[in-house]
Amino acid sequence: MSSWKNLLLKIGDNCPEYGNSDDLKDHIETCFGVIRRELEHSSDDVPHYIINCAEQIPHKIPLYGTLDALDSGNCDRIRILMRFLTVMMCSKILQPGSLVVVFETLLSSAATTVDEDKGNPSWQARADFYVTCILSCLPWGGAELIEQVPEEIERVMAGLEAYLSIRRHTSDTGLSFFEEDDESGKGLVEKDFLEDLWHRVQALSSNGWKLDSVPRPHLSFEAQLVSGKSHEFGPISCPEQPDVPTAVSGITHGKQKHDAELKYPQRIRRLNIFPASKSEVDMQPIDRFILEEYLLDVLLFFNGCRKECAFYMVNLPVPFRYEYLMAETIFSQALPGAFPAVVAGAVRALFEKIADLDMECRIRFILWFSHHLSNFQFIWPWEEWAYVLDLPKWAPQRVFVQEVLEREVRLSYWDKVKQSIENAPALEELLPPKGGPNFKYSMEDGRERSEEHALSAELTNKVKGRQTAREIIVWVEESVYPIHGLGVTIKVVVQTLLDIGSKSFTHLITVLERYGQVISKICPDHDKQLMLIEEVSLFWKNNTQNAAISIDRMMGYRLISNLAIVRWVFSPENIDQFHTSDRPWEVLRNAVSKTYNRICDLRKEIISLKKGVTLAEEAAAKAKAELEAAESKLSLVDGEPVLGGNPARLSRLKLHAEKAKNEEISAKESLEAKEALFARAVEENEALYLSLYRNFSNVLMERLPDASRAGTLQDLKSTHADAMAVDLEEPSAMELDNENGRPKKSQSNGGSSGNVYNIGEKEQWCLSTLGYVKAFSRQYASEIWPHMEKLDAEVLSEDTHPLFRRAVYSGLHRPIN
């Protein structure tokens, strides 16, 4: 790497490039001297590289601004370049009035968007993003703006206040980390993200725009910078707002609102694990926002570069400690932390609240925590959580420990994980079964040899003998199915092929590629595919991971449909596990994700093909024009004028025009074929979500209490407690430890560290299933919204239980009333 580039990258770091000095003034002077010389040779490269650095190491923007548009709708790029413009204004590169014009342009667009008469309030997310960009610039340049253009910045502040007064408060219903936040209505009472940021900026303004969390290196060069030339920043324009739908309804408004929030997402949803006395100690209000910006930028741009990411996260340019705030920010993004001690405290705090944790957050917590432990030799004080064995099998804390251990086994091996819990050996009860495949026709355990064993051995020999799939299909049709029937045929074929492919993932893929046609032939419809999935589940009953992988691969080879998987997930045996195991849910998540990915891939391919068609049409039109021009041209042949020019050239042009036309036709045919596939995929997608939500509705309607007794989740939680109420004057086993008479802690939400969980199994089943309904609705909202009219008509009718409808609507971030 060129030395000047290296200096730019390392500026502000305590590193050899700057003599291990941390004096920012020395850094800037050293870097400027090198860059000034480089500008003589690479006048275009240097500004471009500085902007790249500013984009990808944003917490160093004040340094880059001292050294030294809005475009495609990339939110991170817009936000960061706005900050860069602000610090260039501080360094006298940009005139403050120009920056104010940018602010007012964005503010005007935002105000128009949320105007009920002139705008489209469904797109408030974009308006909020523009205002957030303005507010987030002020910590970096508010002091300079109030000093240089006080009237203009006061006008901007008044405009911001006016916007806050006309926009709609944003509720986080459906997006809260804890279910109790949705139920309590906190989202309707507390400030939303933008209101909170405005409050923090107002506090900063009241403090004279003084803060220590933003470096101000330009002040050391004020004498030099003031003599430089400031530049105007050209006018900017905001994209046109989407038209208001002609037929306004709750669904059309919801679709547009969802599209806007996808394109202009809120950057962070705060996860308050620790009290403010720990997470915001020695900070003024705006410091939390600035630190979150630093941390999120580092996570965004150094994702995949662990060493650099960790380095920058622990060396942010702030004068106070921020470990707790960093842990909360990292957990809000479901990523591993850098301070094990603080992370351990966060884990314990979340574990205490696990019963109220959003289901999707709970799953991510399990996945992250098991991965985190795998990077720390699986060390954890499991004895602290050994009490979960005294809880019912459906208690969320017990299920959490069980699922973490299962995921650890995937990342290591059974004996290693068992060794890691030796300080709480009783937890071995929660480990997954130790063992491999459950092959029905194995002869290793001395089972009596049956006719089915003989058929399995014969099939194994045929596969080892490299017989083709066609030959095996003939054998099945002539020698197995007519004599033994469908059930035995599926068992023998599926169990045997899975056994052959059980040695490794590669073996499985090889078997499915070579003999998938055999499975497809005997399991052509949903009923038979359901039998196929059941055999796969039985074969891998001791290995959840391999069961999920096998079913996923079979769906990938189109041996199993997503509808068959939904039917299997909602079979009685799996329904009984909804609240105690992630096994059926993992299979369902894989199926829905694979369907979603197919749709996304087809969309991308169609976009690419449309571009290809456009290019082919242009090439064909150009070739045709060249041919017609040549044919109309007069030339002399033997002294006589002849229409058509040089025959050899004309022949080449005709061939070129024909080839271009054929390529155009081929491109259009490819596009038509892909669009037909996409239309079919959309129909399959609709059928999937209708089936999924019908099944959810049916099983919940069978188990949920009457709506008059359970209209909210809190009502549902208290149902069992009310039924099990005991005379408070008489001690019970739930209140007293039988062994030592020590009173136990007890909470109805299961969040205590005692070994009592007061929610009944049926109620917990309903809570867990509703949590998954909400999680699926949130994760696949983009694919669900296009089918919302049909879902409303066929599934979410007035007869639907309000808790089920609330879970769906919350996941879609759709108003419930």
Side-chain angles (χ1 to χ4, degrees):
M1 181 182 291
S2 302
S3 60
W4 65 271
K5 289 184 177 180
N6 203 33
L7 285 171
L8 272 173
L9 280 175
K10 299 291 187 180
I11 193 170
D13 299 343
N14 191 325
C15 58
E17 285 81 355
Y18 289 99
N20 294 316
S21 164
D22 55 7
D23 187 309
L24 297 183
K25 185 175 181 181
D26 287 347
H27 284 214
I28 291 173
E29 288 175 338
T30 301
C31 192
F32 177 70
V34 174
I35 286 178
R36 183 168 57 182
R37 291 192 297 272
E38 188 63 31
L39 280 168
E40 299 174 2
H41 310 290
S42 309
S43 58
D44 294 332
D45 291 348
V46 172
H48 178 72
Y49 195 73
I50 290 176
I51 289 177
N52 282 344
C53 289
E55 284 183 2
Q56 298 184 36
I57 319 178
H59 64 275
K60 294 187 181 184
I61 274 180
L63 303 175
Y64 295 127
T66 304
L67 279 171
D68 197 327
L70 302 177
D71 56 9
S72 64
N74 181 317
C75 289
D76 289 310
R77 183 174 170 84
I78 291 172
R79 175 181 53 80
I80 290 168
L81 288 182
M82 285 276 292
R83 192 189 305 169
F84 193 45
L85 289 176
T86 303
V87 297
M88 284 199 293
M89 179 274 301
C90 295
S91 299
K92 315 298 182 186
I93 298 170
L94 188 69
Q95 291 185 7
S98 292
L99 186 62
V100 170
V101 170
V102 173
F103 289 169
E104 291 183 329
T105 302
L106 292 175
L107 192 52
S108 173
S109 175
T112 301
T113 298
V114 299
D115 187 287
E116 294 284 351
D117 299 322
K118 301 177 183 177
N120 185 353
S122 300
W123 278 75
Q124 180 177 306
R126 184 172 74 182
D128 281 356
F129 168 70
Y130 288 168
V131 173
T132 300
C133 284
I134 299 169
L135 289 171
S136 65
C137 288
L138 296 178
W140 275 264
E144 283 73 15
L145 287 169
I146 202 69
E147 178 185 341
Q148 299 177 44
V149 285
E151 294 182 2
E152 287 88 341
I153 196 60
E154 289 296 339
R155 188 171 67 237
V156 169
M157 295 291 283
L160 291 168
E161 188 170 18
Y163 173 80
L164 267 293
S165 70
I166 62 173
R167 68 182 283 274
R168 292 180 181 175
H169 171 89
T170 301
S171 169
D172 271 355
T173 300
L175 299 171
S176 304
F177 288 100
F178 298 102
E179 294 287 358
E180 60 185 10
D181 292 347
D182 281 355
E183 287 282 319
S184 65
K186 286 183 180 179
L188 300 175
V189 179
E190 295 184 348
K191 299 181 183 73
D192 63 26
F193 179 80
L194 188 60
E195 293 163 350
D196 177 78
L197 177 56
W198 170 240
H199 169 76
R200 293 172 189 270
V201 169
Q202 284 182 306
L204 176 63
S205 173
S206 300
N207 193 37
W209 302 97
K210 297 174 184 177
L211 73 168
D212 297 323
S213 50
V214 173
R216 304 173 68 77
H218 58 278
L219 296 179
S220 301
F221 299 87
E222 200 161 17
Q224 297 99 305
L225 294 174
V226 75
S227 61
K229 181 182 178 182
S230 296
H231 302 273
E232 291 281 352
F233 188 72
I236 65 166
S237 59
C238 300
E240 294 294 327
Q241 63 184 356
D243 295 330
V244 178
T246 50
V248 180
S249 68
I251 292 177
T252 55
H253 170 79
K255 284 180 179 177
Q256 285 212 348
K257 182 172 178 286
H258 174 73
D259 290 342
E261 289 171 350
L262 274 183
K263 191 168 184 180
Y264 300 95
Q266 182 175 308
R267 196 148 191 239
I268 185 174
R269 300 189 187 278
R270 293 189 175 111
L271 175 57
N272 296 313
I273 303 174
F274 305 107
S277 59
K278 280 190 175 181
S279 60
E280 298 187 36
V281 64
D282 296 329
M283 298 184 196
Q284 56 173 308
I286 197 64
D287 288 330
R288 175 167 189 138
F289 169 77
I290 292 168
L291 268 169
E292 288 170 344
E293 285 286 283
Y294 287 156
L295 293 166
L296 293 173
D297 286 337
V298 171
L299 288 171
L300 174 66
F301 292 110
F302 288 91
N303 182 25
C305 305
R306 297 181 185 178
K307 186 176 180 180
E308 291 84 354
C309 183
F311 173 81
Y312 284 125
M313 289 189 76
V314 300
N315 288 285
L316 295 178
V318 295
F320 41 73
R321 297 182 63 178
Y322 54 91
E323 302 97 313
Y324 289 99
L325 180 55
M326 181 166 66
E328 288 187 343
T329 304
I330 291 170
F331 269 97
S332 76
Q333 307 300 301
L335 292 171
F339 288 96
V342 177
V343 169
V347 168
R348 290 184 176 96
L350 286 173
F351 181 73
E352 290 297 313
K353 299 178 180 180
I354 198 74
D356 292 318
L357 194 62
D358 174 88
M359 188 58 71
E360 185 180 352
C361 294
R362 198 183 303 183
I363 294 165
R364 292 188 180 202
F365 187 24
I366 289 167
L367 296 176
W368 169 80
F369 187 51
S370 55
H371 178 76
H372 177 76
L373 292 181
S374 73
N375 286 300
F376 290 90
Q377 294 81 47
F378 297 98
I379 296 172
W380 182 256
W382 289 106
E383 67 275 8
E384 293 180 5
W385 292 348
Y387 69 85
V388 301
L389 289 170
D390 298 327
L391 299 176
K393 66 177 182 179
W394 60 86
Q397 289 184 335
R398 178 179 173 131
V399 174
F400 174 81
V401 173
Q402 168 190 298
E403 293 300 323
V404 167
L405 293 174
E406 195 275 332
R407 291 284 173 172
E408 284 189 350
V409 171
R410 297 189 191 193
L411 296 168
S412 182
Y413 53 95
W414 195 90
D415 290 318
K416 173 68 174 177
V417 176
K418 180 190 174 185
Q419 182 183 359
S420 72
I421 59 172
E422 60 185 8
N423 54 352
L427 286 178
E428 184 179 341
E429 179 184 333
L430 299 184
L431 282 173
K434 182 182 181 181
N438 180 41
F439 183 36
K440 187 172 184 178
Y441 306 113
S442 172
M443 299 302 297
E444 294 179 0
D445 54 1
R447 296 179 189 174
E448 183 179 346
R449 187 178 178 86
S450 67
E451 194 170 355
E452 291 178 21
H453 282 77
L455 290 171
S456 175
E458 187 175 353
L459 177 55
T460 300
N461 290 332
K462 288 179 178 295
V463 172
K464 289 181 178 178
R466 297 297 181 97
Q467 286 197 11
T468 64
R470 182 61 204 158
E471 289 173 323
I472 291 178
I473 289 172
V474 170
W475 172 73
V476 168
E477 291 178 337
E478 293 180 352
S479 305
V480 183
Y481 183 74
I483 301 169
H484 301 281
L486 178 65
V488 171
T489 301
I490 291 178
K491 285 179 186 176
V492 168
V493 172
V494 174
Q495 288 263 341
T496 305
L497 291 180
L498 284 174
D499 182 59
I500 295 169
S502 64
K503 292 181 180 178
S504 69
F505 179 71
T506 305
H507 281 76
L508 173 65
I509 296 301
T510 302
V511 167
L512 293 179
E513 287 180 348
R514 289 181 182 173
Y515 300 106
Q517 293 176 27
V518 180
I519 297 174
S520 180
K521 186 71 176 178
I522 62 175
C523 301
D525 56 48
H526 293 159
D527 290 337
K528 297 179 181 65
Q529 288 171 14
L530 182 59
M531 297 170 68
L532 165 59
I533 300 172
E534 287 171 349
E535 283 304 318
V536 175
S537 181
L538 285 171
F539 183 86
W540 286 117
K541 73 175 187 178
N542 295 328
N543 193 311
T544 297
Q545 181 181 23
N546 283 351
I549 288 173
S550 299
I551 294 170
D552 181 69
R553 287 295 85 205
M554 287 182 175
M555 182 179 168
Y557 286 109
R558 296 192 176 273
L559 305 177
I560 297 174
S561 71
N562 50 22
L563 292 177
I565 291 174
V566 170
R567 282 184 59 185
W568 176 78
V569 168
F570 286 90
S571 62
E573 181 182 353
N574 285 322
I575 289 172
D576 290 341
Q577 301 180 55
F578 277 8
H579 58 318
T580 59
S581 172
D582 192 51
R583 184 181 178 106
W585 298 117
E586 181 179 5
V587 172
L588 183 60
R589 283 195 300 271
N590 289 345
V592 178
S593 293
K594 192 172 287 293
T595 305
Y596 171 78
N597 291 336
R598 282 177 184 169
I599 289 268
C600 292
D601 290 343
L602 284 169
R603 284 199 185 101
K604 291 175 184 176
E605 290 169 10
I606 286 173
I607 291 171
S608 177
L609 285 171
K610 283 182 176 179
K611 291 179 181 177
V613 167
T614 301
L615 292 174
E617 287 175 339
E618 292 173 353
K622 182 179 179 182
K624 181 181 179 183
E626 289 177 351
L627 176 61
E628 289 174 349
E631 287 175 337
S632 64
K633 186 177 180 181
L634 287 173
S635 60
L636 291 175
V637 178
D638 297 330
E640 297 292 329
V642 176
L643 190 66
N646 188 319
R649 183 170 181 269
L650 276 179
S651 178
R652 288 196 304 272
L653 289 174
K654 283 180 181 178
L655 287 173
H656 180 60
E658 289 174 2
K659 181 182 178 183
K661 188 62 180 177
N662 289 336
E663 289 176 350
E664 178 189 356
I665 293 170
S666 176
K668 288 181 176 179
E669 288 175 348
S670 297
L671 177 59
E672 288 174 4
K674 196 65 70 175
E675 286 177 334
L677 284 175
F678 180 72
R680 179 184 167 192
V682 169
E683 291 176 0
E684 292 177 351
N685 216 26
E686 181 180 79
L688 169 65
Y689 288 114
L690 283 171
S691 173
L692 178 60
Y693 282 97
R694 278 198 194 103
N695 277 285
F696 270 132
S697 179
N698 291 340
V699 297
L700 282 163
M701 286 294 283
E702 292 172 2
R703 292 163 176 79
L704 280 169
D706 186 82
S708 62
R709 293 192 299 116
T712 67
L713 292 181
Q714 194 55 48
D715 292 340
L716 182 59
K717 291 177 182 179
S718 62
T719 302
H720 180 76
D722 292 344
M724 297 295 291
V726 294
D727 188 343
L728 294 178
E729 295 180 0
E730 298 181 10
S732 70
M734 295 175 65
E735 297 172 331
L736 198 65
D737 188 317
N738 288 331
E739 293 183 5
N740 54 25
R742 190 174 62 246
K744 294 180 179 180
K745 298 178 184 177
S746 173
Q747 293 180 2
S748 61
N749 66 1
S752 81
S753 59
N755 56 355
V756 175
Y757 188 68
N758 288 341
I759 293 178
E761 181 168 13
K762 183 178 178 181
E763 290 74 23
Q764 184 60 53
W765 184 96
C766 293
L767 289 168
S768 297
T769 305
L770 288 169
Y772 281 108
V773 170
K774 182 176 171 183
F776 275 102
S777 301
R778 181 197 296 126
Q779 190 169 358
Y780 301 102
S782 297
E783 300 303 320
I784 294 171
W785 271 110
H787 311 297
M788 206 62 238
E789 287 89 348
K790 203 158 189 177
L791 278 170
D792 271 357
E794 298 186 18
V795 182
L796 301 171
S797 62
E798 292 182 0
D799 297 334
T800 304
H801 198 288
L803 282 179
F804 172 59
R805 190 186 300 110
R806 180 189 293 270
V808 177
Y809 281 24
S810 293
L812 296 174
H813 209 199
R814 176 181 176 182
I816 295 170
N817 296 321

